[in-house]
Amino acid sequence: MATVADLTQGQKGIIKDFAEHVLPIKLLELGCLPGNRIELIQVAPLNDPIYINLSGSHIAIRRSLAELIELDIIEENQAL
Amino acid sequence: MSKNINVALIGNPNTGKTSVFNQLTGLKQKVGNYPGITVEKKEGICKLPRGVKAHILDLPGTYSLNTTSLDESLVVELLLNKNDKDYPDVAVVISDVENLKRNLFLFTQIKDLKIPTILVINMADRMSRKGISLDIEAMEKKLDTKIALVSTRKRQGIDRVKELIADHKNLSSAPNVDAKRISPEYFERLQKTFPNEDLYKLWLVITQDVNFMPIEKKRIEDATSFATKSKEELKKLQHKETVLRYQFINNTLKETYKVDFQAAKGLRGSLDRILTHKIFGYLIFFVILLTIFQAIFDWSSYPMDFIDEQFAMASEWIKNTLPPGVFTDLLSEGIIAGIGGIVIFIPQIAFLFLFISLLEESGYMSRVVFLMDRLMRPFGLSGKSIVPLISGTACAIPAVMATRTIENWKERLITILVTPFTTCSARLPVYLILIALVIPKGTILGLSFQALTLMLLYLIGFGMAIFSAMVLNKILKIKSRSLFMVEMPTYRLPLLKNVAYTVLEKTKSFVFGAGKIILAISIVLWFLGSNGYSEDFKNAEQIVNDRIEQEGLSTYSKNYIQNNIDAYRENALAEGIAPEVIQDSIQSMTHYLRERAEAQEIASYKLEHSYIGRAGKAFEPVVKPLGYDWKIGIAVLTSFAAREVFVGTLATIYSVGSDEEETIKTRMAAELDSSGRPLFNLASGISLMLFYAFAMQCMSTLAIVKRETNSWKWPLFQLGFMSVFAYLVALIAYQILI
Ligand SMILES: Nc1nc2c(ncn2[C@@H]2O[C@H](COP(=O)(O)OP(=O)(O)O)[C@@H](O)[C@H]2O)c(=O)[nH]1
Ligand SMILES: [Mg+2]
């Protein structure tokens, strides 16, 4: 199962349905909801944290949290 | 006069609340604290059309009404409490046009509390760059509100905001999302139990983990006809609420908000690639830090020297102008000397806050957090600890408050505990004066020893902070789940007005905050230093004159005369004055200096037998092993109120009874220890610097730590641990160097 932690720089994904209780409400409010897009912008020098564009919000989160967000990776060739 | 309209500015962090606030209120603003907690409270008055006035409140940034921090719960508390004197007649939600979707989340929540709400869409100047177009009218209809499109940077739209505020009676207060839709069955039951309460308000009270309204929360939990849901279930419902709100927002924006990605351009991508680069990222950060330190030490020395001289002159002027007497003495010796010790900080504090606010305003600080997080974690710290550790170089008080953004309690606690080790500006005058006294002037590789020493002291402070964090990380057994999240704002050119206000406001509060303590201490010290009860004190003049007749002037006085003459000669030669003229002047100078030296000997004899002299002598055995005499001992002791008191205390002690214009530095240079060597020598100087580097000498910081950790345990731990450690290090250093 792919998660945000598996994205490579510049790759995008669409958030999958997830069990409600795993993610903090804060993240949901920023738009981390099923169907929304996540793009990985940059990984910090020591591989952690991860800087993402979460449906328009630019935030950095730690790898441990990123591993909880499941998504379908959009392959380059099918991207818009 | 009718009552002012109460306006609350609410919004996500970084949307421009403070900028809007500054434009609405200008300089008619005041910054205080909320009672009992140290969240900054910014309020001001704004003149509206037709002679109406509004009271504007700038609330802390929050992403939603679901709170996770003290700052945020404050917003919720205010919005839920109709009896609060600041309860808004109208809420102004500030949003950023680039993040409108997310910003509207908070907007809908506030709207649902049935508070009349205006939407400000800020940063309008960025729309064309980002290819954004809005249909304001349609959006107003969908959101059932009035919208002002604003650019504080271009000073556009503020008048419309004022008009809307003045017209607040015409705003609709209907909700956006019907709370019942979250869970019809559950809300039905709630409504039955509390027929008179607003449903969404009840919902917030139930879901918020803050105990801001114990009575109401208890009432709900006590209601027997109705069982509150489990945490899990509540969370599920909150999730549902989030989805519902986004549905509403997406629906609203679908037709009213368009982004043309082709037209969008921005610096973000390319700047981020450089600023968070594996190597350049750290390099740039390092260079920025170096620049800041350079500014603080080098550039600010000019205004500081100037201030120093002004105060010496003011003191002299008062002595010469006012009739001699107790009051004049108090003014010139106690108060002016004390205040001088604080005013001299202004340039450095101002520089520091200037840089910190530039870094924050530009959006760079978040990148530093991003870069540093992984590096800091092994020490039990978070990337967000960097901000407190850097602002700690200005003052530990705002730094400890800045830890609030750290979500993980253990990381936050460790940051709070170690931040006071960083070299705050209050240590600076102590360091600067000691370095000037005991560190030789030479250079190595073009860097002066003195500057290197200072840098070393900063590194020691920082190193100690990191080291003790590591130890605490091992010792403290605290489990806490960490949600680490930093917003990476777009890069922006800082608004000068914002920066200027921050610098002004922080400097002011520093000067007045510390000023009060210093003033009080100087007055007390002065009193204790110029009064005594013993026979020795009363007959000081007689005793000293007799002694001078028999034994001549003390070594100290001889040195004092010699130093002054040497200094004069050096200056005169440099100015190219003829040697014969110099010789003549020196002759008359010697006579005059001798008289002064005699007066000083009397004064210092008096001081030694005054109340403070007695107390100091009693305390001397404790500090003697560190190489300090009783005067330094007193200065160290009073520094436990605040470090910067050190120089002021010495200034007050030394100037009691002396009647001349000279800087505190020359005075300290002339002090001798019992064996006739300079009192401030390399060993005692370094011992003192190390003591100040490590000791917890700041009552205000202790008070803040108490508030932020909500217990006396941690500040007392800090006080004990840091001070004992400081004493031991100072002791070892002195004993090795002597
Ligand atoms: N381009 C642009 N930047 C703005 C505008 N208003 C504020 N800013 C910038 O946005 C950042 C955050 O502003 P601030 O007032 O501190 O936001 P607050 O955190 O909501 O109080 C600062 O860097 C401001 O300079 C605006 O109208 N246009
Ligand atoms: Mg602000």
Side-chain angles (χ1 to χ4, degrees):
Chain A
M1 186 63 70
T3 67
V4 171
D6 299 323
L7 292 173
T8 55
Q9 192 165 338
Q11 219 174 17
K12 300 187 183 83
I14 292 189
I15 303 172
K16 280 209 199 166
D17 233 339
F18 49 79
E20 281 101 28
H21 56 272
V22 288
L23 292 181
I25 285 283
K26 264 262 134 84
L27 211 55
L28 305 187
E29 287 168 354
L30 288 178
C32 188
L33 293 169
N36 281 349
R37 270 164 181 262
I38 290 189
E39 177 188 348
L40 187 118
I41 299 178
Q42 185 109 341
V43 177
L46 292 169
N47 226 4
D48 195 6
I50 297 172
Y51 171 8
I52 56 173
N53 177 350
L54 168 60
S55 66
S57 291
H58 293 81
I59 56 172
I61 54 176
R62 284 185 185 163
R63 196 162 275 279
S64 53
L65 181 62
E67 279 164 0
L68 299 179
I69 309 172
E70 296 182 353
L71 41 60
D72 290 319
I73 296 177
I74 305 175
E75 300 302 334
E76 272 314 309
N77 48 16
Q78 63 181 85
L80 321 173
Chain B
M1 201 190 77
S2 68
K3 191 178 141 297
N4 291 341
I5 303 172
N6 262 339
V7 179
L9 300 183
I10 309 174
N12 288 185
N14 270 313
T15 52
K17 290 177 298 301
T18 305
S19 313
V20 171
F21 176 79
N22 286 343
Q23 301 243 318
L24 284 176
T25 60
L27 276 173
K28 287 191 284 306
Q29 48 176 272
K30 107 175 184 252
V31 183
N33 280 333
Y34 286 94
I37 42 173
T38 44
V39 178
E40 253 184 20
K41 179 178 186 181
K42 281 179 119 179
E43 47 193 340
I45 296 291
C46 169
K47 282 212 181 85
L48 300 175
R50 299 185 290 281
V52 192
K53 280 188 189 163
H55 169 259
I56 317 270
L57 188 61
D58 182 15
L59 288 168
T62 178
Y63 290 107
S64 80
L65 296 185
N66 297 320
T67 61
T68 46
S69 77
L70 198 67
D71 286 22
E72 293 173 346
S73 48
L74 202 104
V75 178
V76 183
E77 183 180 0
L78 175 67
L79 295 181
L80 292 187
N81 185 1
K82 284 217 167 72
N83 299 324
D84 196 306
K85 74 169 174 38
D86 291 329
Y87 183 81
D89 297 312
V90 50
V92 176
V93 174
I94 315 283
S95 62
D96 167 2
V97 71
E98 281 182 64
N99 279 315
L100 199 55
K101 194 201 270 185
R102 192 186 76 202
N103 291 178
L104 283 180
F105 189 87
L106 178 66
F107 173 85
T108 60
Q109 283 187 313
I110 292 168
K111 194 89 169 58
D112 290 356
L113 284 172
K114 309 207 174 87
I115 297 170
T117 308
I118 297 168
L119 179 63
V120 166
I121 302 181
N122 190 25
M123 321 243 181
D125 51 293
R126 298 185 59 89
M127 283 167 63
S128 60
R129 298 197 71 172
K130 292 287 166 183
I132 299 173
S133 53
L134 300 173
D135 181 345
I136 297 281
E137 244 171 81
M139 206 184 282
E140 281 184 337
K141 280 216 185 71
K142 291 243 179 204
L143 294 173
D144 188 20
T145 184
K146 292 285 172 204
I147 297 178
L149 192 59
V150 169
S151 164
T152 50
R153 174 153 310 211
K154 295 253 159 75
R155 297 165 176 278
Q156 284 161 356
I158 289 290
D159 286 337
R160 163 122 172 120
V161 178
K162 290 186 186 172
E163 258 162 47
L164 291 179
I165 293 174
D167 267 353
H168 73 283
K169 291 250 156 63
N170 298 330
L171 287 166
S172 137
S173 54
N176 275 161
V177 179
D178 182 7
K180 281 208 181 93
R181 286 177 58 205
I182 300 173
S183 166
E185 171 267 338
Y186 179 70
F187 278 79
E188 209 59 56
R189 268 198 291 149
L190 267 183
Q191 189 78 86
K192 277 209 189 93
T193 326
F194 302 96
N196 300 324
E197 293 289 350
D198 179 66
L199 269 184
Y200 190 59
K201 189 177 153 185
L202 277 174
W203 174 239
L204 283 180
V205 175
I206 292 168
T207 49
Q208 296 320 297
D209 256 347
V210 278
N211 46 358
F212 47 84
M213 288 194 310
I215 309 157
E216 296 208 26
K217 189 147 185 158
K218 210 161 159 21
R219 242 178 63 208
I220 293 170
E221 276 161 6
D222 285 353
T224 44
S225 63
F226 149 94
T228 27
K229 301 217 166 200
S230 72
K231 273 228 156 68
E232 295 285 284
E233 283 172 304
L234 284 179
K235 208 174 161 198
K236 243 180 217 161
L237 292 184
Q238 281 182 301
H239 179 110
K240 178 103 179 282
E241 180 194 343
T242 312
V243 173
L244 282 177
R245 288 194 188 283
Y246 270 115
Q247 271 170 10
F248 172 80
I249 294 165
N250 285 335
N251 188 17
T252 304
L253 293 183
K254 206 166 55 201
E255 278 133 40
T256 56
Y257 183 91
K258 296 251 161 14
V259 188
D260 176 3
F261 285 105
Q262 302 299 311
K265 47 184 185 269
L267 283 174
R268 179 192 283 271
S270 34
L271 265 181
D272 269 343
R273 257 194 295 286
I274 303 169
L275 294 181
T276 61
H277 185 271
K278 280 184 181 48
I279 298 160
F280 299 125
Y282 293 105
L283 215 62
I284 292 169
F285 180 46
F286 187 69
V287 169
I288 290 179
L289 282 185
L290 276 185
T291 316
I292 296 180
F293 289 132
Q294 178 73 12
I296 294 175
F297 306 127
D298 217 31
W299 307 348
S300 60
S301 67
Y302 303 100
M304 288 177 79
D305 288 345
F306 175 76
I307 293 172
D308 202 15
E309 279 163 26
Q310 296 309 305
F311 270 87
M313 274 162 57
S315 184
E316 173 80 0
W317 182 83
I318 286 181
K319 282 232 143 148
N320 293 338
T321 332
L322 295 182
V326 181
F327 177 71
T328 306
D329 286 352
L330 170 64
L331 205 60
S332 64
E333 294 166 0
I335 297 181
I336 299 277
I339 295 185
I342 180 91
V343 170
I344 197 158
F345 280 131
I346 291 180
Q348 281 172 335
I349 295 271
F351 264 124
L352 211 90
F353 281 116
L354 173 71
F355 280 103
I356 287 180
S357 93
L358 283 177
L359 293 188
E360 295 213 332
E361 277 267 316
S362 62
Y364 179 68
M365 208 61 124
S366 303
R367 274 66 186 184
V368 176
V369 171
F370 178 67
L371 274 180
M372 301 302 286
D373 184 58
R374 188 65 189 81
L375 286 179
M376 305 292 278
R377 250 185 282 162
F379 307 105
L381 299 170
S382 142
K384 294 189 180 178
S385 310
I386 274 290
V387 182
L389 288 177
I390 293 177
S391 22
T393 55
C395 176
I397 297 164
V400 167
M401 279 159 63
T403 62
R404 289 212 187 116
T405 53
I406 303 175
E407 302 89 349
N408 180 312
W409 168 240
K410 186 175 175 184
E411 290 173 351
R412 175 158 175 233
L413 179 65
I414 294 180
T415 311
I416 291 177
L417 291 179
V418 306
T419 292
F421 276 122
T422 53
T423 305
C424 68
S425 52
R427 286 179 174 103
L428 259 185
V430 182
Y431 288 170
L432 290 178
I433 208 158
L434 289 173
I435 286 175
L437 284 173
V438 307
I439 304 293
K441 279 228 163 67
T443 61
I444 178 167
L445 300 171
L447 295 165
S448 81
F449 289 143
Q450 300 194 336
L452 282 175
T453 311
L454 195 62
M455 182 143 150
L456 207 64
L457 283 165
Y458 269 79
L459 290 179
I460 288 177
F462 190 74
M464 189 58 200
I466 295 289
F467 175 73
S468 41
M470 202 164 71
V471 175
L472 287 170
N473 189 30
K474 289 258 150 53
I475 301 175
L476 292 176
K477 293 275 172 277
I478 300 173
K479 276 217 178 65
S480 53
R481 236 164 63 97
S482 82
L483 158 72
F484 170 90
M485 205 187 77
V486 211
E487 167 144 37
M488 310 286 262
T490 12
Y491 291 103
R492 298 196 176 100
L493 268 184
L495 276 176
L496 281 182
K497 196 167 188 174
N498 287 1
V499 175
Y501 279 169
T502 310
V503 171
L504 209 73
E505 179 196 292
K506 301 275 184 196
T507 312
K508 223 169 70 188
S509 77
F510 177 86
V511 171
F512 290 119
K516 266 184 281 181
I517 305 178
I518 291 184
L519 197 62
I521 289 184
S522 337
I523 293 176
V524 170
L525 279 178
W526 173 83
F527 175 81
L528 293 177
S530 31
N531 290 283
Y533 56 88
S534 65
E535 287 304 304
D536 281 341
F537 181 84
K538 285 172 192 142
N539 303 325
E541 222 151 298
Q542 192 57 48
I543 297 170
V544 174
N545 280 340
D546 287 353
R547 194 186 64 201
I548 292 177
E549 224 152 81
Q550 284 161 21
E551 305 167 17
L553 286 173
S554 67
T555 337
Y556 167 75
S557 298
K558 284 180 196 146
N559 271 5
Y560 163 77
I561 296 174
Q562 198 55 48
N563 285 348
N564 267 293
I565 290 177
D566 287 351
Y568 168 76
R569 184 182 288 130
E570 208 174 294
N571 267 336
L573 282 176
E575 279 169 26
I577 298 173
E580 313 86 62
V581 182
I582 296 179
Q583 207 49 46
D584 275 355
S585 316
I586 286 180
Q587 211 116 84
S588 57
M589 232 177 114
T590 314
H591 177 69
Y592 161 80
L593 283 170
R594 201 188 143 78
E595 265 175 21
R596 290 210 149 177
E598 281 173 13
Q600 271 176 24
E601 282 200 27
I602 296 171
S604 79
Y605 187 85
K606 267 187 158 170
L607 183 64
E608 228 176 304
H609 294 88
S610 68
Y611 293 118
I612 204 159
R614 298 261 160 166
K617 290 272 181 191
F619 182 60
E620 197 169 23
V622 181
V623 292
K624 190 117 198 149
L626 311 185
Y628 317 156
D629 73 346
W630 66 267
K631 292 178 193 166
I632 303 180
I634 290 287
V636 168
L637 211 57
T638 50
S639 294
F640 273 87
R643 297 178 181 93
E644 58 272 39
V645 169
F646 178 80
V647 180
T649 300
L650 284 183
T652 308
I653 293 182
Y654 288 147
S655 69
V656 168
S658 96
D659 58 353
E660 61 196 282
E661 156 214 358
E662 64 180 342
T663 60
I664 171 74
K665 200 165 93 190
T666 47
R667 196 58 226 267
M668 286 167 76
E671 284 289 300
L672 298 178
D673 67 9
S674 49
S675 52
R677 298 174 322 136
L679 178 63
F680 292 94
N681 51 49
L682 192 67
S684 67
I686 288 191
S687 155
L688 256 177
M689 285 191 262
L690 287 175
F691 187 85
Y692 275 81
F694 298 132
M696 178 64 185
Q697 297 163 293
C698 182
M699 287 193 306
S700 322
T701 305
L702 288 173
I704 292 287
V705 172
K706 148 88 184 26
R707 276 187 204 165
E708 296 290 313
T709 61
N710 212 359
S711 93
W712 278 109
K713 179 171 150 198
W714 298 114
L716 289 178
F717 170 78
Q718 249 176 340
L719 178 66
F721 165 68
M722 290 177 70
S723 305
V724 169
F725 184 76
Y727 187 88
L728 291 178
V729 172
L731 178 70
I732 294 168
Y734 182 72
Q735 297 300 339
I736 290 176
L737 287 169
I738 193 68

